[in-house]
Amino acid sequence: MPSPIPATRLLPKDMFPCLDIGTCSSPLTKHPVGTHLQVPVQRLHGKTASRLWSTVIYWKEVRALLPVGSGGFGSVYKAQYLGETVALKRVKKSTKNKLASRQSFWAELNAAHLRHPNVVRVIAATTCVPPDFGDEGSIGTVLMEFVGDENLQQIISDGAQPLGEDRWLRYAADIARGLRFLHAHCVVHLDIKPANVLLSSGDVCKIADFGCSLKLDRGCEVSAISPRVSHVGGTYTHRAPELLKGQALSPAADVYSFGITLWQLMTREQPYTGDRQHVLYAVVAHNLRPSVRDHPVFRSERGPACRSALARCWSAEGRCRPAADELLPLLETLRAPR
């Protein structure tokens, strides 16, 4: 089943605070009741721990929570942890859909065991919060590396910042590398969009916010969406037609979203205007896509190559879209002749 934790185990009986009141554990590994989950402290640049991320958070080491942003299922804070800057995400309860908000928390951990320069790194996660950090509306907390204060949507919207060919191609290549890595490990993100791509101080893109993600069955074969996996969705402007229709999903859904994101990098515009329901219907029924006619990039010498690449990425049929490992060669075809 394409879920990090089956829905029947979202609140398992063996979820309990550790004996050390400074730490709390999440039920990602079975362990007998009454024992302490032994996970070494993971220094960010210190000694190597026995695993890539921790199921305990040493709350006494958390300092200075500063709000950074919020979304449908959570709020993100900038904090200090073990002497380093981190991002702390609290996944909140949804009064309208409690199951979806719980699944969103577990989905955040789908890529926790993976490490790649273009994917935000998870440091620790827990479902237990001590009283002095308490938030009655919170389901769980995820500690991640702090990438920076900007995302791609902000860069696109900020007309004062240049976004020439070399820069948008480099950003697109970063996203493509991240997707290639995720798909190779059978993780589909399902909410690729500029706002979910963070920029580091070194101007490197990192894919963030895995709250809609799924871990596919072994072999990355297409998996049908279970009625109990209710958090699948993402942002409607970037959502693949097969997801809008409630059909089976595959990594090709991320490639569709990548195509919409690539168009935004090229044009610095929003994909659609008008009523949400009209857009949803038109994408499915009339093959509506962002315009590839009016912007200067499509009237230039490389315009035909840009239109062709986008058409492949956002094809209505997932099987007609390029795989993630084909995206980098595809981007090379978009470079203007020198």
Side-chain angles (χ1 to χ4, degrees), residues 80-106:
Q80 295 293 312
Y81 183 63
L82 297 173
E84 298 209 23
T85 304
V86 299
L88 184 151
K89 182 171 185 177
R90 284 177 172 163
V91 180
K92 61 188 179 183
K93 296 177 182 177
S94 171
T95 54
K96 294 182 179 179
N97 194 334
K98 295 181 180 179
L99 176 60
S101 58
R102 291 170 183 168
Q103 288 177 330
S104 177
F105 171 74
W106 296 114

mmCIF file with all atom_site columns, all heavy atoms in Angstrom, residues 80-106:
data_model
loop_
_atom_site.group_PDB
_atom_site.id
_atom_site.type_symbol
_atom_site.label_atom_id
_atom_site.label_alt_id
_atom_site.label_comp_id
_atom_site.label_asym_id
_atom_site.label_entity_id
_atom_site.label_seq_id
_atom_site.pdbx_PDB_ins_code
_atom_site.Cartn_x
_atom_site.Cartn_y
_atom_site.Cartn_z
_atom_site.occupancy
_atom_site.B_iso_or_equiv
_atom_site.pdbx_formal_charge
_atom_site.auth_seq_id
_atom_site.auth_comp_id
_atom_site.auth_asym_id
_atom_site.auth_atom_id
_atom_site.pdbx_PDB_model_num
ATOM 1   N N   . GLN A 1 80  ? 17.015  27.033 16.692 1.00 0.00 ? 80  GLN A N   1
ATOM 2   C CA  . GLN A 1 80  ? 18.353  26.519 16.966 1.00 0.00 ? 80  GLN A CA  1
ATOM 3   C C   . GLN A 1 80  ? 18.218  25.155 17.622 1.00 0.00 ? 80  GLN A C   1
ATOM 4   O O   . GLN A 1 80  ? 17.409  24.981 18.543 1.00 0.00 ? 80  GLN A O   1
ATOM 5   C CB  . GLN A 1 80  ? 19.128  27.469 17.882 1.00 0.00 ? 80  GLN A CB  1
ATOM 6   C CG  . GLN A 1 80  ? 19.433  28.827 17.273 1.00 0.00 ? 80  GLN A CG  1
ATOM 7   C CD  . GLN A 1 80  ? 20.407  28.730 16.121 1.00 0.00 ? 80  GLN A CD  1
ATOM 8   O OE1 . GLN A 1 80  ? 21.454  28.077 16.220 1.00 0.00 ? 80  GLN A OE1 1
ATOM 9   N NE2 . GLN A 1 80  ? 20.077  29.370 14.999 1.00 0.00 ? 80  GLN A NE2 1
ATOM 10  N N   . TYR A 1 81  ? 18.982  24.184 17.137 1.00 0.00 ? 81  TYR A N   1
ATOM 11  C CA  . TYR A 1 81  ? 18.941  22.832 17.702 1.00 0.00 ? 81  TYR A CA  1
ATOM 12  C C   . TYR A 1 81  ? 20.351  22.269 17.730 1.00 0.00 ? 81  TYR A C   1
ATOM 13  O O   . TYR A 1 81  ? 21.022  22.223 16.707 1.00 0.00 ? 81  TYR A O   1
ATOM 14  C CB  . TYR A 1 81  ? 18.026  21.939 16.873 1.00 0.00 ? 81  TYR A CB  1
ATOM 15  C CG  . TYR A 1 81  ? 17.858  20.540 17.424 1.00 0.00 ? 81  TYR A CG  1
ATOM 16  C CD1 . TYR A 1 81  ? 17.265  20.330 18.669 1.00 0.00 ? 81  TYR A CD1 1
ATOM 17  C CD2 . TYR A 1 81  ? 18.284  19.436 16.713 1.00 0.00 ? 81  TYR A CD2 1
ATOM 18  C CE1 . TYR A 1 81  ? 17.101  19.049 19.177 1.00 0.00 ? 81  TYR A CE1 1
ATOM 19  C CE2 . TYR A 1 81  ? 18.112  18.149 17.206 1.00 0.00 ? 81  TYR A CE2 1
ATOM 20  C CZ  . TYR A 1 81  ? 17.525  17.962 18.448 1.00 0.00 ? 81  TYR A CZ  1
ATOM 21  O OH  . TYR A 1 81  ? 17.360  16.692 18.946 1.00 0.00 ? 81  TYR A OH  1
ATOM 22  N N   . LEU A 1 82  ? 20.793  21.883 18.910 1.00 0.00 ? 82  LEU A N   1
ATOM 23  C CA  . LEU A 1 82  ? 22.156  21.378 19.097 1.00 0.00 ? 82  LEU A CA  1
ATOM 24  C C   . LEU A 1 82  ? 23.178  22.350 18.521 1.00 0.00 ? 82  LEU A C   1
ATOM 25  O O   . LEU A 1 82  ? 24.183  21.970 17.931 1.00 0.00 ? 82  LEU A O   1
ATOM 26  C CB  . LEU A 1 82  ? 22.314  20.007 18.443 1.00 0.00 ? 82  LEU A CB  1
ATOM 27  C CG  . LEU A 1 82  ? 21.439  18.894 19.023 1.00 0.00 ? 82  LEU A CG  1
ATOM 28  C CD1 . LEU A 1 82  ? 21.547  17.634 18.178 1.00 0.00 ? 82  LEU A CD1 1
ATOM 29  C CD2 . LEU A 1 82  ? 21.827  18.594 20.463 1.00 0.00 ? 82  LEU A CD2 1
ATOM 30  N N   . GLY A 1 83  ? 22.877  23.641 18.698 1.00 0.00 ? 83  GLY A N   1
ATOM 31  C CA  . GLY A 1 83  ? 23.818  24.674 18.304 1.00 0.00 ? 83  GLY A CA  1
ATOM 32  C C   . GLY A 1 83  ? 23.778  25.073 16.841 1.00 0.00 ? 83  GLY A C   1
ATOM 33  O O   . GLY A 1 83  ? 24.588  25.896 16.408 1.00 0.00 ? 83  GLY A O   1
ATOM 34  N N   . GLU A 1 84  ? 22.838  24.525 16.066 1.00 0.00 ? 84  GLU A N   1
ATOM 35  C CA  . GLU A 1 84  ? 22.768  24.867 14.648 1.00 0.00 ? 84  GLU A CA  1
ATOM 36  C C   . GLU A 1 84  ? 21.364  25.308 14.254 1.00 0.00 ? 84  GLU A C   1
ATOM 37  O O   . GLU A 1 84  ? 20.382  24.981 14.922 1.00 0.00 ? 84  GLU A O   1
ATOM 38  C CB  . GLU A 1 84  ? 23.201  23.675 13.797 1.00 0.00 ? 84  GLU A CB  1
ATOM 39  C CG  . GLU A 1 84  ? 24.650  23.276 14.087 1.00 0.00 ? 84  GLU A CG  1
ATOM 40  C CD  . GLU A 1 84  ? 25.307  22.658 12.891 1.00 0.00 ? 84  GLU A CD  1
ATOM 41  O OE1 . GLU A 1 84  ? 24.852  22.915 11.765 1.00 0.00 ? 84  GLU A OE1 1
ATOM 42  O OE2 . GLU A 1 84  ? 26.262  21.910 13.089 1.00 0.00 ? 84  GLU A OE2 1
ATOM 43  N N   . THR A 1 85  ? 21.277  26.063 13.158 1.00 0.00 ? 85  THR A N   1
ATOM 44  C CA  . THR A 1 85  ? 19.998  26.550 12.666 1.00 0.00 ? 85  THR A CA  1
ATOM 45  C C   . THR A 1 85  ? 19.249  25.440 11.952 1.00 0.00 ? 85  THR A C   1
ATOM 46  O O   . THR A 1 85  ? 19.807  24.752 11.092 1.00 0.00 ? 85  THR A O   1
ATOM 47  C CB  . THR A 1 85  ? 20.206  27.735 11.711 1.00 0.00 ? 85  THR A CB  1
ATOM 48  O OG1 . THR A 1 85  ? 20.948  28.760 12.379 1.00 0.00 ? 85  THR A OG1 1
ATOM 49  C CG2 . THR A 1 85  ? 18.865  28.305 11.257 1.00 0.00 ? 85  THR A CG2 1
ATOM 50  N N   . VAL A 1 86  ? 17.986  25.248 12.309 1.00 0.00 ? 86  VAL A N   1
ATOM 51  C CA  . VAL A 1 86  ? 17.144  24.219 11.697 1.00 0.00 ? 86  VAL A CA  1
ATOM 52  C C   . VAL A 1 86  ? 15.777  24.805 11.385 1.00 0.00 ? 86  VAL A C   1
ATOM 53  O O   . VAL A 1 86  ? 15.431  25.899 11.832 1.00 0.00 ? 86  VAL A O   1
ATOM 54  C CB  . VAL A 1 86  ? 16.970  22.992 12.632 1.00 0.00 ? 86  VAL A CB  1
ATOM 55  C CG1 . VAL A 1 86  ? 18.316  22.347 12.921 1.00 0.00 ? 86  VAL A CG1 1
ATOM 56  C CG2 . VAL A 1 86  ? 16.252  23.389 13.921 1.00 0.00 ? 86  VAL A CG2 1
ATOM 57  N N   . ALA A 1 87  ? 14.996  24.052 10.606 1.00 0.00 ? 87  ALA A N   1
ATOM 58  C CA  . ALA A 1 87  ? 13.591  24.383 10.380 1.00 0.00 ? 87  ALA A CA  1
ATOM 59  C C   . ALA A 1 87  ? 12.746  23.391 11.167 1.00 0.00 ? 87  ALA A C   1
ATOM 60  O O   . ALA A 1 87  ? 12.990  22.186 11.119 1.00 0.00 ? 87  ALA A O   1
ATOM 61  C CB  . ALA A 1 87  ? 13.249  24.298 8.903  1.00 0.00 ? 87  ALA A CB  1
ATOM 62  N N   . LEU A 1 88  ? 11.781  23.878 11.929 1.00 0.00 ? 88  LEU A N   1
ATOM 63  C CA  . LEU A 1 88  ? 10.897  23.044 12.727 1.00 0.00 ? 88  LEU A CA  1
ATOM 64  C C   . LEU A 1 88  ? 9.487   23.173 12.163 1.00 0.00 ? 88  LEU A C   1
ATOM 65  O O   . LEU A 1 88  ? 8.941   24.273 12.080 1.00 0.00 ? 88  LEU A O   1
ATOM 66  C CB  . LEU A 1 88  ? 10.947  23.471 14.189 1.00 0.00 ? 88  LEU A CB  1
ATOM 67  C CG  . LEU A 1 88  ? 10.145  22.656 15.207 1.00 0.00 ? 88  LEU A CG  1
ATOM 68  C CD1 . LEU A 1 88  ? 10.808  22.716 16.583 1.00 0.00 ? 88  LEU A CD1 1
ATOM 69  C CD2 . LEU A 1 88  ? 8.709   23.161 15.328 1.00 0.00 ? 88  LEU A CD2 1
ATOM 70  N N   . LYS A 1 89  ? 8.928   22.048 11.738 1.00 0.00 ? 89  LYS A N   1
ATOM 71  C CA  . LYS A 1 89  ? 7.579   22.053 11.173 1.00 0.00 ? 89  LYS A CA  1
ATOM 72  C C   . LYS A 1 89  ? 6.625   21.348 12.107 1.00 0.00 ? 89  LYS A C   1
ATOM 73  O O   . LYS A 1 89  ? 6.850   20.194 12.484 1.00 0.00 ? 89  LYS A O   1
ATOM 74  C CB  . LYS A 1 89  ? 7.557   21.364 9.801  1.00 0.00 ? 89  LYS A CB  1
ATOM 75  C CG  . LYS A 1 89  ? 6.169   21.390 9.146  1.00 0.00 ? 89  LYS A CG  1
ATOM 76  C CD  . LYS A 1 89  ? 6.200   20.905 7.718  1.00 0.00 ? 89  LYS A CD  1
ATOM 77  C CE  . LYS A 1 89  ? 4.840   21.050 7.041  1.00 0.00 ? 89  LYS A CE  1
ATOM 78  N NZ  . LYS A 1 89  ? 4.863   20.651 5.627  1.00 0.00 ? 89  LYS A NZ  1
ATOM 79  N N   . ARG A 1 90  ? 5.550   22.036 12.474 1.00 0.00 ? 90  ARG A N   1
ATOM 80  C CA  . ARG A 1 90  ? 4.480   21.432 13.264 1.00 0.00 ? 90  ARG A CA  1
ATOM 81  C C   . ARG A 1 90  ? 3.313   21.112 12.343 1.00 0.00 ? 90  ARG A C   1
ATOM 82  O O   . ARG A 1 90  ? 2.764   21.999 11.692 1.00 0.00 ? 90  ARG A O   1
ATOM 83  C CB  . ARG A 1 90  ? 4.018   22.388 14.360 1.00 0.00 ? 90  ARG A CB  1
ATOM 84  C CG  . ARG A 1 90  ? 4.976   22.473 15.541 1.00 0.00 ? 90  ARG A CG  1
ATOM 85  C CD  . ARG A 1 90  ? 4.488   23.486 16.540 1.00 0.00 ? 90  ARG A CD  1
ATOM 86  N NE  . ARG A 1 90  ? 5.268   23.460 17.758 1.00 0.00 ? 90  ARG A NE  1
ATOM 87  C CZ  . ARG A 1 90  ? 5.283   24.438 18.660 1.00 0.00 ? 90  ARG A CZ  1
ATOM 88  N NH1 . ARG A 1 90  ? 4.527   25.504 18.467 1.00 0.00 ? 90  ARG A NH1 1
ATOM 89  N NH2 . ARG A 1 90  ? 6.022   24.341 19.743 1.00 0.00 ? 90  ARG A NH2 1
ATOM 90  N N   . VAL A 1 91  ? 2.968   19.854 12.268 1.00 0.00 ? 91  VAL A N   1
ATOM 91  C CA  . VAL A 1 91  ? 1.832   19.446 11.460 1.00 0.00 ? 91  VAL A CA  1
ATOM 92  C C   . VAL A 1 91  ? 0.589   19.548 12.322 1.00 0.00 ? 91  VAL A C   1
ATOM 93  O O   . VAL A 1 91  ? 0.502   18.922 13.378 1.00 0.00 ? 91  VAL A O   1
ATOM 94  C CB  . VAL A 1 91  ? 2.010   18.007 10.934 1.00 0.00 ? 91  VAL A CB  1
ATOM 95  C CG1 . VAL A 1 91  ? 0.807   17.598 10.104 1.00 0.00 ? 91  VAL A CG1 1
ATOM 96  C CG2 . VAL A 1 91  ? 3.282   17.913 10.103 1.00 0.00 ? 91  VAL A CG2 1
ATOM 97  N N   . LYS A 1 92  ? -0.368  20.341 11.886 1.00 0.00 ? 92  LYS A N   1
ATOM 98  C CA  . LYS A 1 92  ? -1.529  20.629 12.722 1.00 0.00 ? 92  LYS A CA  1
ATOM 99  C C   . LYS A 1 92  ? -2.696  19.709 12.398 1.00 0.00 ? 92  LYS A C   1
ATOM 100 O O   . LYS A 1 92  ? -2.790  19.138 11.315 1.00 0.00 ? 92  LYS A O   1
ATOM 101 C CB  . LYS A 1 92  ? -1.947  22.090 12.553 1.00 0.00 ? 92  LYS A CB  1
ATOM 102 C CG  . LYS A 1 92  ? -2.349  22.462 11.127 1.00 0.00 ? 92  LYS A CG  1
ATOM 103 C CD  . LYS A 1 92  ? -2.565  23.961 11.011 1.00 0.00 ? 92  LYS A CD  1
ATOM 104 C CE  . LYS A 1 92  ? -2.940  24.355 9.591  1.00 0.00 ? 92  LYS A CE  1
ATOM 105 N NZ  . LYS A 1 92  ? -3.094  25.817 9.446  1.00 0.00 ? 92  LYS A NZ  1
ATOM 106 N N   . LYS A 1 93  ? -3.578  19.577 13.367 1.00 0.00 ? 93  LYS A N   1
ATOM 107 C CA  . LYS A 1 93  ? -4.792  18.796 13.162 1.00 0.00 ? 93  LYS A CA  1
ATOM 108 C C   . LYS A 1 93  ? -5.752  19.578 12.280 1.00 0.00 ? 93  LYS A C   1
ATOM 109 O O   . LYS A 1 93  ? -5.889  20.785 12.416 1.00 0.00 ? 93  LYS A O   1
ATOM 110 C CB  . LYS A 1 93  ? -5.469  18.498 14.504 1.00 0.00 ? 93  LYS A CB  1
ATOM 111 C CG  . LYS A 1 93  ? -4.652  17.632 15.447 1.00 0.00 ? 93  LYS A CG  1
ATOM 112 C CD  . LYS A 1 93  ? -5.379  17.460 16.765 1.00 0.00 ? 93  LYS A CD  1
ATOM 113 C CE  . LYS A 1 93  ? -4.549  16.645 17.744 1.00 0.00 ? 93  LYS A CE  1
ATOM 114 N NZ  . LYS A 1 93  ? -5.219  16.531 19.067 1.00 0.00 ? 93  LYS A NZ  1
ATOM 115 N N   . SER A 1 94  ? -6.391  18.859 11.401 1.00 0.00 ? 94  SER A N   1
ATOM 116 C CA  . SER A 1 94  ? -7.431  19.473 10.573 1.00 0.00 ? 94  SER A CA  1
ATOM 117 C C   . SER A 1 94  ? -8.787  19.089 11.147 1.00 0.00 ? 94  SER A C   1
ATOM 118 O O   . SER A 1 94  ? -9.101  17.908 11.293 1.00 0.00 ? 94  SER A O   1
ATOM 119 C CB  . SER A 1 94  ? -7.309  18.991 9.123  1.00 0.00 ? 94  SER A CB  1
ATOM 120 O OG  . SER A 1 94  ? -8.423  19.405 8.369  1.00 0.00 ? 94  SER A OG  1
ATOM 121 N N   . THR A 1 95  ? -9.579  20.092 11.468 1.00 0.00 ? 95  THR A N   1
ATOM 122 C CA  . THR A 1 95  ? -10.899 19.798 12.029 1.00 0.00 ? 95  THR A CA  1
ATOM 123 C C   . THR A 1 95  ? -11.823 19.200 10.964 1.00 0.00 ? 95  THR A C   1
ATOM 124 O O   . THR A 1 95  ? -12.737 18.457 11.275 1.00 0.00 ? 95  THR A O   1
ATOM 125 C CB  . THR A 1 95  ? -11.535 21.083 12.584 1.00 0.00 ? 95  THR A CB  1
ATOM 126 O OG1 . THR A 1 95  ? -11.555 22.081 11.559 1.00 0.00 ? 95  THR A OG1 1
ATOM 127 C CG2 . THR A 1 95  ? -10.726 21.603 13.770 1.00 0.00 ? 95  THR A CG2 1
ATOM 128 N N   . LYS A 1 96  ? -11.548 19.505 9.690  1.00 0.00 ? 96  LYS A N   1
ATOM 129 C CA  . LYS A 1 96  ? -12.388 18.998 8.610  1.00 0.00 ? 96  LYS A CA  1
ATOM 130 C C   . LYS A 1 96  ? -11.989 17.584 8.192  1.00 0.00 ? 96  LYS A C   1
ATOM 131 O O   . LYS A 1 96  ? -12.831 16.790 7.800  1.00 0.00 ? 96  LYS A O   1
ATOM 132 C CB  . LYS A 1 96  ? -12.307 19.942 7.409  1.00 0.00 ? 96  LYS A CB  1
ATOM 133 C CG  . LYS A 1 96  ? -12.891 21.325 7.663  1.00 0.00 ? 96  LYS A CG  1
ATOM 134 C CD  . LYS A 1 96  ? -12.829 22.181 6.415  1.00 0.00 ? 96  LYS A CD  1
ATOM 135 C CE  . LYS A 1 96  ? -13.431 23.558 6.664  1.00 0.00 ? 96  LYS A CE  1
ATOM 136 N NZ  . LYS A 1 96  ? -13.361 24.417 5.451  1.00 0.00 ? 96  LYS A NZ  1
ATOM 137 N N   . ASN A 1 97  ? -10.683 17.276 8.246  1.00 0.00 ? 97  ASN A N   1
ATOM 138 C CA  . ASN A 1 97  ? -10.205 15.979 7.783  1.00 0.00 ? 97  ASN A CA  1
ATOM 139 C C   . ASN A 1 97  ? -9.037  15.538 8.653  1.00 0.00 ? 97  ASN A C   1
ATOM 140 O O   . ASN A 1 97  ? -7.864  15.752 8.326  1.00 0.00 ? 97  ASN A O   1
ATOM 141 C CB  . ASN A 1 97  ? -9.786  16.052 6.309  1.00 0.00 ? 97  ASN A CB  1
ATOM 142 C CG  . ASN A 1 97  ? -9.618  14.673 5.703  1.00 0.00 ? 97  ASN A CG  1
ATOM 143 O OD1 . ASN A 1 97  ? -9.350  13.696 6.394  1.00 0.00 ? 97  ASN A OD1 1
ATOM 144 N ND2 . ASN A 1 97  ? -9.761  14.601 4.395  1.00 0.00 ? 97  ASN A ND2 1
ATOM 145 N N   . LYS A 1 98  ? -9.367  14.916 9.798  1.00 0.00 ? 98  LYS A N   1
ATOM 146 C CA  . LYS A 1 98  ? -8.323  14.515 10.741 1.00 0.00 ? 98  LYS A CA  1
ATOM 147 C C   . LYS A 1 98  ? -7.414  13.434 10.168 1.00 0.00 ? 98  LYS A C   1
ATOM 148 O O   . LYS A 1 98  ? -6.214  13.432 10.409 1.00 0.00 ? 98  LYS A O   1
ATOM 149 C CB  . LYS A 1 98  ? -8.973  14.037 12.050 1.00 0.00 ? 98  LYS A CB  1
ATOM 150 C CG  . LYS A 1 98  ? -9.718  15.135 12.796 1.00 0.00 ? 98  LYS A CG  1
ATOM 151 C CD  . LYS A 1 98  ? -10.329 14.613 14.091 1.00 0.00 ? 98  LYS A CD  1
ATOM 152 C CE  . LYS A 1 98  ? -11.076 15.727 14.828 1.00 0.00 ? 98  LYS A CE  1
ATOM 153 N NZ  . LYS A 1 98  ? -11.704 15.243 16.081 1.00 0.00 ? 98  LYS A NZ  1
ATOM 154 N N   . LEU A 1 99  ? -7.985  12.499 9.404  1.00 0.00 ? 99  LEU A N   1
ATOM 155 C CA  . LEU A 1 99  ? -7.184  11.443 8.820  1.00 0.00 ? 99  LEU A CA  1
ATOM 156 C C   . LEU A 1 99  ? -6.156  12.009 7.853  1.00 0.00 ? 99  LEU A C   1
ATOM 157 O O   . LEU A 1 99  ? -4.994  11.610 7.863  1.00 0.00 ? 99  LEU A O   1
ATOM 158 C CB  . LEU A 1 99  ? -8.075  10.435 8.103  1.00 0.00 ? 99  LEU A CB  1
ATOM 159 C CG  . LEU A 1 99  ? -7.353  9.299  7.356  1.00 0.00 ? 99  LEU A CG  1
ATOM 160 C CD1 . LEU A 1 99  ? -6.518  8.480  8.319  1.00 0.00 ? 99  LEU A CD1 1
ATOM 161 C CD2 . LEU A 1 99  ? -8.357  8.421  6.624  1.00 0.00 ? 99  LEU A CD2 1
ATOM 162 N N   . ALA A 1 100 ? -6.568  12.978 7.034  1.00 0.00 ? 100 ALA A N   1
ATOM 163 C CA  . ALA A 1 100 ? -5.656  13.565 6.060  1.00 0.00 ? 100 ALA A CA  1
ATOM 164 C C   . ALA A 1 100 ? -4.496  14.277 6.741  1.00 0.00 ? 100 ALA A C   1
ATOM 165 O O   . ALA A 1 100 ? -3.351  14.191 6.294  1.00 0.00 ? 100 ALA A O   1
ATOM 166 C CB  . ALA A 1 100 ? -6.406  14.525 5.148  1.00 0.00 ? 100 ALA A CB  1
ATOM 167 N N   . SER A 1 101 ? -4.766  14.983 7.839  1.00 0.00 ? 101 SER A N   1
ATOM 168 C CA  . SER A 1 101 ? -3.696  15.693 8.529  1.00 0.00 ? 101 SER A CA  1
ATOM 169 C C   . SER A 1 101 ? -2.722  14.717 9.184  1.00 0.00 ? 101 SER A C   1
ATOM 170 O O   . SER A 1 101 ? -1.516  14.948 9.198  1.00 0.00 ? 101 SER A O   1
ATOM 171 C CB  . SER A 1 101 ? -4.270  16.667 9.569  1.00 0.00 ? 101 SER A CB  1
ATOM 172 O OG  . SER A 1 101 ? -5.079  15.998 10.510 1.00 0.00 ? 101 SER A OG  1
ATOM 173 N N   . ARG A 1 102 ? -3.230  13.590 9.697  1.00 0.00 ? 102 ARG A N   1
ATOM 174 C CA  . ARG A 1 102 ? -2.333  12.579 10.260 1.00 0.00 ? 102 ARG A CA  1
ATOM 175 C C   . ARG A 1 102 ? -1.475  11.951 9.172  1.00 0.00 ? 102 ARG A C   1
ATOM 176 O O   . ARG A 1 102 ? -0.271  11.759 9.343  1.00 0.00 ? 102 ARG A O   1
ATOM 177 C CB  . ARG A 1 102 ? -3.149  11.498 10.976 1.00 0.00 ? 102 ARG A CB  1
ATOM 178 C CG  . ARG A 1 102 ? -3.826  11.988 12.257 1.00 0.00 ? 102 ARG A CG  1
ATOM 179 C CD  . ARG A 1 102 ? -4.808  10.954 12.780 1.00 0.00 ? 102 ARG A CD  1
ATOM 180 N NE  . ARG A 1 102 ? -5.502  11.438 13.970 1.00 0.00 ? 102 ARG A NE  1
ATOM 181 C CZ  . ARG A 1 102 ? -6.561  10.853 14.490 1.00 0.00 ? 102 ARG A CZ  1
ATOM 182 N NH1 . ARG A 1 102 ? -7.062  9.755  13.926 1.00 0.00 ? 102 ARG A NH1 1
ATOM 183 N NH2 . ARG A 1 102 ? -7.135  11.339 15.574 1.00 0.00 ? 102 ARG A NH2 1
ATOM 184 N N   . GLN A 1 103 ? -2.100  11.652 8.050  1.00 0.00 ? 103 GLN A N   1
ATOM 185 C CA  . GLN A 1 103 ? -1.342  11.071 6.944  1.00 0.00 ? 103 GLN A CA  1
ATOM 186 C C   . GLN A 1 103 ? -0.307  12.056 6.422  1.00 0.00 ? 103 GLN A C   1
ATOM 187 O O   . GLN A 1 103 ? 0.772   11.666 5.981  1.00 0.00 ? 103 GLN A O   1
ATOM 188 C CB  . GLN A 1 103 ? -2.294  10.639 5.834  1.00 0.00 ? 103 GLN A CB  1
ATOM 189 C CG  . GLN A 1 103 ? -3.111  9.406  6.204  1.00 0.00 ? 103 GLN A CG  1
ATOM 190 C CD  . GLN A 1 103 ? -4.114  9.038  5.118  1.00 0.00 ? 103 GLN A CD  1
ATOM 191 O OE1 . GLN A 1 103 ? -4.601  9.915  4.406  1.00 0.00 ? 103 GLN A OE1 1
ATOM 192 N NE2 . GLN A 1 103 ? -4.410  7.769  4.999  1.00 0.00 ? 103 GLN A NE2 1
ATOM 193 N N   . SER A 1 104 ? -0.628  13.345 6.455  1.00 0.00 ? 104 SER A N   1
ATOM 194 C CA  . SER A 1 104 ? 0.313   14.356 6.009  1.00 0.00 ? 104 SER A CA  1
ATOM 195 C C   . SER A 1 104 ? 1.582   14.337 6.857  1.00 0.00 ? 104 SER A C   1
ATOM 196 O O   . SER A 1 104 ? 2.689   14.489 6.337  1.00 0.00 ? 104 SER A O   1
ATOM 197 C CB  . SER A 1 104 ? -0.342  15.742 6.066  1.00 0.00 ? 104 SER A CB  1
ATOM 198 O OG  . SER A 1 104 ? 0.580   16.744 5.711  1.00 0.00 ? 104 SER A OG  1
ATOM 199 N N   . PHE A 1 105 ? 1.437   14.131 8.170  1.00 0.00 ? 105 PHE A N   1
ATOM 200 C CA  . PHE A 1 105 ? 2.611   14.052 9.038  1.00 0.00 ? 105 PHE A CA  1
ATOM 201 C C   . PHE A 1 105 ? 3.493   12.872 8.651  1.00 0.00 ? 105 PHE A C   1
ATOM 202 O O   . PHE A 1 105 ? 4.707   12.999 8.479  1.00 0.00 ? 105 PHE A O   1
ATOM 203 C CB  . PHE A 1 105 ? 2.201   13.932 10.508 1.00 0.00 ? 105 PHE A CB  1
ATOM 204 C CG  . PHE A 1 105 ? 3.361   13.627 11.415 1.00 0.00 ? 105 PHE A CG  1
ATOM 205 C CD1 . PHE A 1 105 ? 4.294   14.595 11.720 1.00 0.00 ? 105 PHE A CD1 1
ATOM 206 C CD2 . PHE A 1 105 ? 3.525   12.349 11.940 1.00 0.00 ? 105 PHE A CD2 1
ATOM 207 C CE1 . PHE A 1 105 ? 5.374   14.304 12.539 1.00 0.00 ? 105 PHE A CE1 1
ATOM 208 C CE2 . PHE A 1 105 ? 4.602   12.055 12.765 1.00 0.00 ? 105 PHE A CE2 1
ATOM 209 C CZ  . PHE A 1 105 ? 5.526   13.043 13.064 1.00 0.00 ? 105 PHE A CZ  1
ATOM 210 N N   . TRP A 1 106 ? 2.880   11.675 8.495  1.00 0.00 ? 106 TRP A N   1
ATOM 211 C CA  . TRP A 1 106 ? 3.684   10.501 8.152  1.00 0.00 ? 106 TRP A CA  1
ATOM 212 C C   . TRP A 1 106 ? 4.272   10.646 6.755  1.00 0.00 ? 106 TRP A C   1
ATOM 213 O O   . TRP A 1 106 ? 5.385   10.167 6.491  1.00 0.00 ? 106 TRP A O   1
ATOM 214 C CB  . TRP A 1 106 ? 2.841   9.231  8.268  1.00 0.00 ? 106 TRP A CB  1
ATOM 215 C CG  . TRP A 1 106 ? 2.379   8.980  9.667  1.00 0.00 ? 106 TRP A CG  1
ATOM 216 C CD1 . TRP A 1 106 ? 1.100   9.000  10.120 1.00 0.00 ? 106 TRP A CD1 1
ATOM 217 C CD2 . TRP A 1 106 ? 3.203   8.714  10.810 1.00 0.00 ? 106 TRP A CD2 1
ATOM 218 N NE1 . TRP A 1 106 ? 1.070   8.759  11.471 1.00 0.00 ? 106 TRP A NE1 1
ATOM 219 C CE2 . TRP A 1 106 ? 2.347   8.585  11.919 1.00 0.00 ? 106 TRP A CE2 1
ATOM 220 C CE3 . TRP A 1 106 ? 4.579   8.590  10.999 1.00 0.00 ? 106 TRP A CE3 1
ATOM 221 C CZ2 . TRP A 1 106 ? 2.824   8.320  13.193 1.00 0.00 ? 106 TRP A CZ2 1
ATOM 222 C CZ3 . TRP A 1 106 ? 5.056   8.336  12.268 1.00 0.00 ? 106 TRP A CZ3 1
ATOM 223 C CH2 . TRP A 1 106 ? 4.178   8.206  13.355 1.00 0.00 ? 106 TRP A CH2 1
#
